Amino acid sequence: MSRRIDDLPDEVLSPGDTGLPARAAGLTVREFLATAPRLGEFWTPLTVLDAEAMRSNAATIQAWAESKGMELMPHGKTTMAPALWNLQLDMGATGLTLATPGQVRTARAFGVSSIMLANAVVAPGALAFIAGELADPDVSFRCWADSIGTVEAMERGLAEAVGTDAALPRPIDVLVELGAPGGRTGARTLEQAVELAQRVVHSPVLRLVGVAGYEGSLGHDRSPSALAAVRAYLEDLVALRDLLLDRGLLTPGSIAADDVIVSAGGSAYLDLVAEAFAPAIEADAAAGRRTRWILRSGASLLHDHGFYRGISPLDDLLEPAMRGFARVVSHPEPGLALLDGGKRDFPYDEGLPVPLGVAATLTGAATRGDDSRELAAASVTALNDQHAFLRADEPGSALPVAIGDVVSLGLSHPCTAFDKRRWLPVVERAGSDVVVDLVRTFF
């Protein structure tokens, strides 16, 4: 059954919603927000979003992509939050990227009509769902395939799911995924990718619409070797598009209004994506040929204080829009304090949380300001399931915290931050404790 994002404020909050004030139970989101809640009422540990920073980031990444001749279809698996998807769609994103068929079903439940599944779909049940959605002419769905075995699995699954070919409302649009030796998924060579494209063209239930890939698995920093590997891969991706055009496997006439698609781009090397696409975009314009060059950057909406701050080429344009908060529950040594948030609460796969300061408004102090007592000389050195080890950087130094203080934490890697909570409070801007919204996640 379809849901509306506008209906989410009418959901009733419960004691099972982690982190919310006790008084929120039994109220709808709308009723609770009408009481003008403050962040200090919420129970730690918390992950908090910044409304102003998210709006700024959404506008920034959209304008940046358009200035480079690209569309933006941000990766929705980062947040799995329909309200945040809607923010970017309203800003001009031409659709949504997702990672699993289950995520596609959630997006369709909220009316998202333009979807790219950056993955293969081979399970009969998932294929049956996609086939049913294709009966709606307004739905635009594309998935990836990286081998002839994938195509054969899709054909078998569709036969099992819908019976005869005639039962499929229209072919499923497929992009050939190019990979690289040592990378993740994707055809390992251009020759394999061309053979795969030929197989898709001859499938009665699939339609070849373009090429795609993910360059982020080839590098993890801005070292010369990582940048060279990413550049070489992106050049091959554009070359694959050209090969398929030259061989008549990809022609705008066969794809009609959807046009040819070339897609790449996480949030780490999007500048290299733009650099690699630029000559082809210019050549297309000169030839009067239309190609949809699609960027999928998802983490750029939130940015962070860790991995993306260190690697994103847009760090000077984007603002960290999420923060963690955890309370000091033990101070057993002068240079060590234990916080009440750990692996179950904060992302840690791409770097540990970064202590920013003691949040006066959450601690209960009279002074205002989010980080009124800085913690520049301290680090989180380890996380347990429900504890963070906050240590003074200088051996023998004391930490300027007391039991009961709430510590503000910069987080790293938004993609593993959102699955910890069903509702995330949103403050109006950094430094404010005024809660203006609750964002619902669907994991």
Side-chain angles (χ1 to χ4, degrees), residues 73 96-105 107-108 112-122 126-127 129-144 154 158 170-175 205-207 209 258 261 292:
M73 290 184 69
L96 204 63
T97 302
L98 294 160
T100 70
Q103 293 173 2
V104 171
R105 186 171 63 181
R108 286 295 302 132
V112 179
S113 60
S114 176
I115 294 173
M116 181 187 303
L117 177 63
N119 211 335
V121 52
V122 297
L127 288 163
F129 172 77
I130 298 301
E133 295 301 295
L134 293 178
D136 183 343
D138 293 328
V139 171
S140 178
F141 172 83
R142 313 154 195 92
C143 64
W144 295 5
M154 292 182 72
L158 286 167
R170 51 190 157 104
I172 294 178
D173 288 350
V174 172
L175 291 92
V205 292
L206 307 178
R207 184 176 71 145
V209 297
D258 290 333
I261 292 172
R292 297 179 62 187

Side-chain angles (χ1 to χ4, degrees), residues 122-394:
V122 297
L127 288 163
F129 172 77
I130 298 301
E133 295 301 295
L134 293 178
D136 183 343
D138 293 328
V139 171
S140 178
F141 172 83
R142 313 154 195 92
C143 64
W144 295 5
D146 70 353
S147 71
I148 291 174
T150 303
V151 172
E152 292 172 344
M154 292 182 72
E155 291 173 339
R156 288 194 304 271
L158 286 167
E160 178 181 333
V162 301
T164 65
D165 295 345
L168 189 66
R170 51 190 157 104
I172 294 178
D173 288 350
V174 172
L175 291 92
V176 169
E177 180 188 1
L178 182 67
R184 200 168 63 184
T185 52
R188 280 346 198 206
T189 67
L190 289 174
E191 292 75 16
Q192 291 173 354
V194 171
E195 290 176 5
L196 171 58
Q198 292 171 331
R199 179 64 176 82
V200 173
V201 166
H202 289 99
S203 173
V205 292
L206 307 178
R207 184 176 71 145
L208 180 67
V209 297
V211 300
Y214 175 58
E215 74 290 340
S217 62
L218 300 175
H220 208 70
D221 54 33
R222 287 255 158 189
S223 65
S225 60
L227 296 180
V230 170
R231 282 193 173 99
Y233 168 78
L234 292 168
E235 289 171 3
D236 281 348
L237 186 65
V238 176
L240 175 59
R241 191 282 306 245
D242 293 343
L243 274 172
L244 300 186
L245 285 173
D246 291 343
R247 299 191 185 189
L249 298 173
L250 265 183
T251 61
S254 68
I255 298 176
D258 290 333
D259 303 311
V260 174
I261 292 172
V262 181
S263 177
S267 297
Y269 301 109
L270 60 168
D271 57 330
L272 302 189
V273 173
E275 174 189 300
F277 285 2
I281 291 173
E282 292 177 8
D284 280 358
R289 178 176 57 218
R290 175 169 159 76
T291 300
R292 297 179 62 187
W293 302 88
I294 296 178
L295 181 71
R296 304 187 309 274
S297 175
S300 56
L301 175 66
L302 286 308
H303 201 42
D304 68 10
H305 283 91
F307 177 70
Y308 287 111
R309 164 147 279 186
I311 198 171
S312 171
L314 305 186
D315 180 55
D316 59 336
L317 300 176
L318 301 174
E319 305 171 44
M322 63 174 188
R323 241 172 233 218
F325 291 92
R327 193 176 301 271
V328 178
V329 291
S330 176
H331 202 345
E333 303 167 17
L336 171 66
L338 281 302
L339 313 181
D340 66 355
K343 293 179 179 179
R344 298 289 181 88
D345 310 294
F346 305 126
Y348 60 94
D349 60 315
E350 292 285 5
L352 297 173
V354 178
L356 301 174
V358 174
T361 51
L362 274 74
T363 297
T367 57
R368 293 185 57 80
D370 184 39
D371 303 318
S372 60
R373 201 183 318 153
E374 292 188 0
L375 290 173
S379 301
V380 172
T381 59
L383 294 181
N384 291 158
D385 283 355
Q386 232 81 61
H387 289 93
F389 289 71
L390 179 67
R391 293 184 185 274
D393 292 337
E394 187 68 30

